Amino acid sequence: MRDKVFSKKVFIKSVTDNLKTLYRKTLEEASQQELFQAVSFSVKDVVMDEWLATQQAFDKQDPKTVYYMSMEFLMGRALGNNLINLCAYKEVKEALDEIGLDLSVIEDQEPDPALGNGGLGRLAACFMDSLATLGYAAYGCGIRYRYGMFKQKIADGFQIEMPDNWLKYGYPFELQRPEYCYEIKFGGNVRPDYDENGNMRFVHENYQSVLAVPYDMPIVGYNNHVVDSLMIWDAQPKEVFSLDSFDKGDYAQAVEQENLARNLVEVLYPNDNHVKGKELRLKQQYFFVSASIQRALERFKKSHNDLHDLPKKVVFQMNDTHPTVTVAELMRILMDEENLSWDDAWDITTHCVAYTNHTIMAEALEKWPVEIFQRLLPRVYQIIEEIDRRFVMEIRNRYPGNEEKVRKMAILYEGQVKMAHLAIAAGYSVNGVARLHTEILKNQELRDFYEMFPEKFNNKTNGITQRRFLAHGNPLLADWVTEKCGKDWITDLSKTEKLVSIANDPKTQKEFMKIKYENKVRLAKYIKEHNGIDVDPNSIFDVQVKRLHEYKRQLMNIMHIMYLYNQLKANPNMDFYPRTFIFGAKAAAGYSTAKKTIKLINSVAEVINNDASINGKIKVVFIEDYRVSVAEWIFAAADVSEQISTASKEASGTGNMKFMLNGALTIGTMDGANVEMYEEVGADNIFIFGMSADEVIAHEQHKDYYPMNIYNSDEDIRKVLNQMIDGTYSTGDRELFRELYNSLLNPQQGQVADRYFILADFRSYANAQKKVEEYYKDTENWAKSAILNVAHVGKFSSDRTIQEYVDDIWHLEKVRVNMSGF
């Protein structure tokens, strides 16, 4: 593989040997899952050589290493992606063909590792792929969730959360590392003590603890022999079973430690609508942060004697506010375990930690009740108290007499621990993830911090890996791009610019549209198999797939579909190009409005899809359990990409980039990275609608938006809203969707009507959708615009994003891996 000669014979023997060793079976006897395991172990064997060589290169070259701290890593399936990056996909496919096996079928046996949920986790996965491909030393640090967030089932249109048991058969691409386990302590009390020199030290006692045990997953770089590591932590009890407690009849106490450990790693984002949920989330965050820091310091100390040099060799990048306890935990370890002074520990910490902000909305910036934080992490809380005391002193010195600054910026205030404030006070870098997002942070949400620390703030527009979302997810288009542009786009996405010169060519356009059609056929088959719905590949595939949240406005999308349906019913002979609307989304288990939106989508689908009178002109499909492996097919098939968040609310978005990469045209607001996509692709190749970020913010500040005025004056909108509560889509149940109706017109006390401006933007959205329909009828120009989207997507590669992090924040050096000994 790679620069070695690939031997089909050797590979096939490796697969058959694995079947014999693992299952005592032959090729003919093995199940598809057993074949997946056997093939994966054969691929892992090759990866292992490069992983070992990479670790040896790290030991020899001693490069600075980034520890990417993230609550989630939405990796997607590993087998196909590893083969792509090993440059062995086609060779392995041919080898398996020879023995009657289908690589695509085998890939389908792999579960998506349930380690993430949305854009935050997928970004982390793309970043790890780019770090390895660019040749930088990196560890992704997270949790080995046993059941992920949840596996989504749709029953009677409602979302049902089921355990996502992705580890049921074992996972071939992980490697347990019990030799690197660390104790993590919760609760108890802290008392001061003095060493023999009279120095005060703090003793943590009467605590509960678990052991953090890492499982490493290889992150294979593209064609460069570099294999970085995803280091995800499992929790195990210090004492598996207390026989003494059991013999005394205290059966719950006998397994208490085991339950504590198990609960920590069961699920991603446990429901925190109650105190126990909040406690569990905080424990999870501290658990993986503490373990990761302990591992990083152990690695550093193996070849360095002076911890003051830590910033030269280690950087902790905190991916959003979840891991920002990194600041205080690093301080704790440096002071309590390494015996450094406060000033030395602070100097090291503030040169080692950097913070990425992923949200504009203030309520999403994590805050913890002091009571919970102090009780669960008593020593860490003491350290935060001191950081806050010194920081408030710094604020007061800078702004004498301005207590409003203290109120807005303090880390501890009104009984809360404000984690974003901790990250900004300590971090040497604070970055947003799209230019508009960063400007809003600087001018709005984090304005006071920007005024005080302007040098810390910078922008790093997000990106995606073209290796997964084009090379693997859309092989037909990938081969076509290679034919037109050469193969260098795989590591330099700007090479697709060569398509600009041929975008007007009719032959090129026909080739592109043929590929799009074949990908639509592939997705249509999936929809038929999983949803039982027949969709026409000649219709416009209009797609919105993303985490379900009110600001992402899936509700506006389905309301527009209701509006179109009303038009068709009133005017059966109107000129209307057939449209297939495709949704995919998970709603957080405790998020009632989002879950009702899923129910509304499915209820509207049930009515429209079964109405023979409209002759299939509209179809509505909700893809169950949306995940990376399904996303690859959806992106490849989409004609229209719905990026319709309320302007100023989406930090960046990365789904928009994946659609663009695959030649879909965007309908969207000037929000997040859409702004930069508009600049790259040009106004003629994107459909922009709605209020600007400035207009939205002005309405919010002036409190001068009254959606009831729109309801009263717009008959079409009024009809759609009334249909939510007149039983049209709920078999006569007028209350089923009352919550959605009220959120737009009659909010609960203290809440804002139509907070995300759905009614305000509705007409602009409907008009833009009409332009989409008219433009799609012009096949040549649509094809040209689609090709130009692919041509101008270069900026949105995560390779570019990571190189900017390296140049401006991390200052890493490339690693050279020598395979001569393997």
Side-chain angles (χ1 to χ4, degrees), residues 564-607:
L564 290 178
Y565 181 56
N566 290 341
Q567 285 192 316
L568 269 178
K569 293 296 283 184
N571 305 286
N573 297 318
M574 68 181 284
D575 185 21
F576 189 92
Y577 199 97
R579 190 88 71 106
T580 298
F581 292 96
I582 299 170
F583 293 85
K586 289 183 178 181
Y591 192 172
S592 175
T593 305
K595 294 177 80 170
K596 275 292 169 67
T597 303
I598 289 176
K599 172 59 176 172
L600 179 62
I601 292 167
N602 284 303
S603 294
V604 172
E606 181 72 17
V607 171

Side-chain angles (χ1 to χ4, degrees), residues 204-220:
H204 191 181
E205 55 191 12
N206 302 316
Y207 54 81
Q208 289 184 310
S209 67
V210 299
L211 296 178
V213 178
Y215 284 71
D216 288 355
M217 288 188 187
I219 307 296
V220 180

Side-chain angles (χ1 to χ4, degrees), residues 359-365 445 544 547-557 559 591 593-594 597 643-651 669-671 689-693 695-697 699-700 705-707 710 739-747 750-765:
T359 182
I360 291 160
M361 295 188 289
E363 66 267 27
L365 297 174
E445 297 301 331
Q544 187 176 19
R547 178 171 60 91
L548 210 146
H549 194 288
E550 288 166 272
Y551 83 81
K552 295 177 185 286
R553 300 201 294 193
Q554 286 95 342
L555 181 56
M556 183 167 71
N557 189 345
M559 286 173 60
Y591 192 172
T593 305
T597 303
Q643 308 299 329
I644 59 177
S645 56
T646 310
S648 80
K649 304 305 178 191
E650 185 72 83
T669 51
M670 288 294 266
D671 195 27
F689 74 93
M691 290 188 291
S692 68
E695 289 171 323
V696 169
I697 291 167
H699 279 307
E700 290 174 332
Y705 170 53
Y706 305 103
I710 298 173
E739 179 180 355
L740 300 179
Y741 176 90
N742 285 344
S743 73
L744 298 174
L745 295 175
N746 302 313
Q751 296 182 343
V752 178
D754 192 14
R755 179 183 176 190
Y756 296 108
F757 300 91
I758 288 173
L759 303 192
D761 275 352
F762 187 89
R763 276 294 169 190
S764 178
Y765 177 56

Side-chain angles (χ1 to χ4, degrees), residues 554-567 600 604 608 710-711 714-729 737-738 740-742 744-745 758-759 762-763 765-766:
Q554 286 95 342
L555 181 56
M556 183 167 71
N557 189 345
I558 194 63
M559 286 173 60
H560 175 252
I561 296 168
M562 294 160 67
Y563 160 77
L564 290 178
Y565 181 56
N566 290 341
Q567 285 192 316
L600 179 62
V604 172
I608 292 178
I710 298 173
Y711 173 86
D714 191 315
E715 183 180 350
D716 293 327
I717 290 176
R718 184 165 63 250
K719 182 172 183 179
V720 167
L721 285 166
N722 287 343
Q723 286 173 331
M724 290 186 193
I725 56 169
D726 68 7
T728 299
Y729 295 103
F737 300 118
R738 178 78 60 178
L740 300 179
Y741 176 90
N742 285 344
L744 298 174
L745 295 175
I758 288 173
L759 303 192
F762 187 89
R763 276 294 169 190
Y765 177 56

Side-chain angles (χ1 to χ4, degrees), residues 491-510:
T491 52
D492 180 0
L493 193 54
S494 68
K495 297 298 185 185
T496 61
E497 282 180 344
K498 293 177 182 177
L499 294 172
V500 173
S501 63
I502 57 172
N504 279 309
D505 174 50
K507 179 174 176 289
T508 299
Q509 293 170 357
K510 287 178 182 175

Side-chain angles (χ1 to χ4, degrees), residues 14-15 18-19 22-23 33-42:
S14 172
V15 172
N18 285 338
L19 284 173
L22 293 169
Y23 304 110
Q33 175 61 217
E34 290 162 348
L35 289 168
F36 157 69
Q37 296 278 347
V39 169
S40 295
F41 275 108
S42 295

